[in-house]
Amino acid sequence: YEVKSELENLSLRFRSPKEYVRIENQVNQFMDEESDDIARFCGPINEILSQNGICAKVYPKFRSPYSMWRKMQSSGKNFRQLEFKHVLNMEFEEKSEFSEKNQALEIYSLVTDIYKEKPGSLNNYIDSPKENGYQSLHFKVRCNKGLWVEIHISSRRMEYNSRMGCIAERATG
């Protein structure tokens, strides 16, 4: 996936260099503008995870310029009108006494106790992985600004397998 994304970005950069730079600048400006809001949003999540003894890394992942360009082309919207310019990744450390699914569901439950969940937004890619083996729990919650934020919950193993793809199976098998 990372190689695919890199190739898409490189293709856009060389096919449409001005458009690529424009979108890249908009993404960077958006990251700067939203950093305080993201930190405020993550604060209560980090606090409740810590209170419940869950070791997790919570961080935003911003969409690539090509991904933004593709969304703008398909929706007919400009950069400012797009939703979900980033997702919030939650990567937890597995505990041997519980299944990864149960740990992800516990984190999901804690987060939805703090923030209102968008009805029908839950996607369970743990029980039903994507074709490439990707596993995660996805859902959306309303942030302080009244907008929806997409959250992905994965274990460290799931993240490793997602990054490494079929190589992960060879390394651990």
Side-chain angles (χ1 to χ4, degrees), residues 81-127:
Q81 294 170 322
L82 289 179
E83 289 184 307
F84 308 115
K85 295 177 188 91
H86 71 284
V87 297
L88 190 67
N89 280 356
M90 302 176 76
E91 184 180 328
F92 64 89
E93 234 177 82
E94 304 92 339
K95 294 179 182 175
S96 59
E97 63 268 20
F98 300 107
S99 72
E100 290 172 309
K101 176 184 173 183
N102 284 344
Q103 291 173 77
L105 288 171
E106 180 183 8
I107 293 169
Y108 161 78
S109 178
L110 292 169
V111 172
T112 55
D113 283 347
I114 302 171
Y115 295 108
K116 179 176 174 38
E117 180 185 4
K118 183 176 186 178
S121 70
L122 181 65
N123 289 306
N124 180 352
Y125 296 114
I126 296 174
D127 286 338

Side-chain angles (χ1 to χ4, degrees), residues 108-171:
Y108 161 78
S109 178
L110 292 169
V111 172
T112 55
D113 283 347
I114 302 171
Y115 295 108
K116 179 176 174 38
E117 180 185 4
K118 183 176 186 178
S121 70
L122 181 65
N123 289 306
N124 180 352
Y125 296 114
I126 296 174
D127 286 338
S128 301
K130 291 187 176 186
E131 287 181 14
N132 62 2
Y134 173 80
Q135 291 183 293
S136 187
L137 194 64
H138 294 193
F139 61 101
K140 297 175 181 96
V141 295
R142 191 175 302 281
C143 74
N144 306 337
K145 294 170 103 176
L147 302 172
W148 297 110
V149 174
E150 187 172 343
I151 297 178
H152 298 179
I153 302 173
S154 307
S155 69
R156 286 202 177 153
R157 181 199 62 80
M158 292 175 196
E159 283 292 324
Y160 176 79
N161 288 351
S162 174
R163 280 192 301 277
M164 299 303 288
C166 61
I167 295 170
E169 292 177 16
R170 292 289 252 188

Side-chain angles (χ1 to χ4, degrees), residues 15-120:
R15 192 184 72 207
S16 304
K18 289 180 183 176
E19 196 164 4
Y20 179 88
V21 169
R22 182 178 55 82
I23 294 170
E24 185 178 45
N25 289 338
Q26 288 175 314
V27 170
N28 290 334
Q29 181 181 354
F30 176 77
M31 288 167 55
D32 290 342
E33 291 171 358
E34 295 296 311
S35 62
D36 289 342
D37 288 335
I38 291 170
R40 274 193 295 280
F41 179 78
C42 292
I45 293 172
N46 285 321
E47 190 174 314
I48 199 163
L49 292 176
S50 177
Q51 288 171 356
N52 285 275
I54 298 170
C55 183
K57 182 168 66 169
V58 181
Y59 58 95
K61 184 173 182 184
F62 293 88
R63 298 201 186 275
S64 70
Y66 175 80
S67 176
M68 294 292 197
W69 176 83
R70 191 180 68 228
K71 283 185 134 216
M72 291 187 313
Q73 296 301 307
S74 67
S75 68
K77 296 179 178 180
N78 67 35
F79 183 86
R80 288 287 172 195
Q81 294 170 322
L82 289 179
E83 289 184 307
F84 308 115
K85 295 177 188 91
H86 71 284
V87 297
L88 190 67
N89 280 356
M90 302 176 76
E91 184 180 328
F92 64 89
E93 234 177 82
E94 304 92 339
K95 294 179 182 175
S96 59
E97 63 268 20
F98 300 107
S99 72
E100 290 172 309
K101 176 184 173 183
N102 284 344
Q103 291 173 77
L105 288 171
E106 180 183 8
I107 293 169
Y108 161 78
S109 178
L110 292 169
V111 172
T112 55
D113 283 347
I114 302 171
Y115 295 108
K116 179 176 174 38
E117 180 185 4
K118 183 176 186 178

